[in-house]
Structure formats: C-alpha cells, structure tokens
Amino acid sequence: MPNITKSYVDGLKCRDAAYVKWDSKLTGFGVRVYPRDPRGKCKKSLVLRYANAAGKRRMMVLGQFGAMTVTEAREKASRASNAIRDGNDPLEEKKTRRRAVLSEVATFGQVVDKYIELRARTRQRMWKQSQRVLEVNC
C-alpha cells in the first residue's frame, strides 16, 4: 500500500469503474477515483472507511481532491478516527445535525432558504437560477 500524497493522487488515472487506493500510514484513509463524468473530468475524493459501534461499515467522504489538500484530509481523518474510537459515528452525527436544522424550519419559504444556503450554494454553479426558479414558482 502506498503513502497517499499529492503527487501520488495526481498520478491516479480514471478507469471504467470507481476504485479506492488506501494509505499505508493511516488505517482507513484513502482516495476514491471515479469514472470520467460526461464532461471528461476525473473526480477524486479523499475518504475514510470505518466501522461504527454496531459493526456497520461506513465510508465517509472527507472532501474532493483539489478543494481539499491531502494533508487537510489526513488531519480530518485522524480526528474522525479518534471520535470513532470514542464510540461516535461522524456520519450519523452529520445526519442528526442536518435533521435538527430542518426540523426548526416552519414554512416552505424557510425550507427553500435553507436549501439554497446548505446545498445549492455549495454544490451548484447556477444556484442563483435555482433560487430564482424556486422563488417565482413556489
């Protein structure tokens, strides 16, 4: 198993199916390489694989390679591994936080605002158009 570094991840090529290369230093830390998207881009995610307290295997995406450095991802994975050893489940905690935010929302307009804030701005290039469509039609 190789040591995951920026130059190592840069050298990984896309295949027909997604695959994961694991790190030799930090258990469960790796890089997942996806097949090319329709635009021809090769997407790579830094991931952490772990088992929760119930023994269920989980894979947590730490961040997209490029938007997050390998060093940052390794530190985040190390913190998450420590939390897992203490009996916590980072993915379940994230889901609980998301549900708590949405349970505080009362009206559809507030739901739209939260959606734009939490999802559209961070994941869509044309989030302003989505916001306008939702405001006009809903």
Side-chain angles (χ1 to χ4, degrees), residues 38-100:
R39 294 176 291 182
K41 289 192 73 178
C42 186
K43 185 174 133 182
K44 300 170 187 173
S45 297
L46 299 157
V47 297
L48 176 67
R49 183 176 65 183
Y50 67 94
N52 63 11
K56 183 178 178 185
R57 293 189 116 193
R58 313 287 304 265
M59 188 175 296
M60 178 175 142
V61 176
L62 302 167
Q64 297 299 317
F65 177 69
M68 175 179 270
T69 67
V70 174
T71 307
E72 292 169 342
R74 191 180 301 275
E75 290 170 5
K76 189 173 179 179
S78 180
R79 287 192 305 270
S81 293
N82 291 336
I84 292 162
R85 273 189 226 103
D86 292 339
N88 299 325
D89 187 349
L91 288 177
E92 200 59 43
E93 290 172 3
K94 183 178 179 181
K95 191 184 295 185
T96 303
R97 282 193 308 270
R98 192 174 291 151
R99 285 183 185 148

Side-chain angles (χ1 to χ4, degrees), residues 2-124:
N3 183 22
I4 304 287
T5 61
K6 180 187 181 324
S7 59
Y8 179 77
V9 176
D10 283 335
L12 294 174
K13 305 290 183 208
C14 282
R15 297 182 188 164
D16 292 338
Y19 67 97
V20 180
K21 291 292 186 175
W22 301 109
D23 188 51
S24 59
K25 291 184 178 181
L26 183 59
T27 305
F29 177 64
V31 60
R32 184 173 190 176
V33 182
Y34 297 91
R36 291 194 186 279
D37 66 7
R39 294 176 291 182
K41 289 192 73 178
C42 186
K43 185 174 133 182
K44 300 170 187 173
S45 297
L46 299 157
V47 297
L48 176 67
R49 183 176 65 183
Y50 67 94
N52 63 11
K56 183 178 178 185
R57 293 189 116 193
R58 313 287 304 265
M59 188 175 296
M60 178 175 142
V61 176
L62 302 167
Q64 297 299 317
F65 177 69
M68 175 179 270
T69 67
V70 174
T71 307
E72 292 169 342
R74 191 180 301 275
E75 290 170 5
K76 189 173 179 179
S78 180
R79 287 192 305 270
S81 293
N82 291 336
I84 292 162
R85 273 189 226 103
D86 292 339
N88 299 325
D89 187 349
L91 288 177
E92 200 59 43
E93 290 172 3
K94 183 178 179 181
K95 191 184 295 185
T96 303
R97 282 193 308 270
R98 192 174 291 151
R99 285 183 185 148
V101 167
L102 292 177
S103 68
E104 296 171 1
V105 177
T107 66
F108 186 73
Q110 290 172 328
V111 171
V112 168
D113 292 342
K114 284 292 181 186
Y115 167 76
I116 295 296
E117 177 186 335
L118 297 175
R119 298 290 284 188
R121 281 189 181 175
T122 59
R123 297 178 185 224
Q124 295 179 0

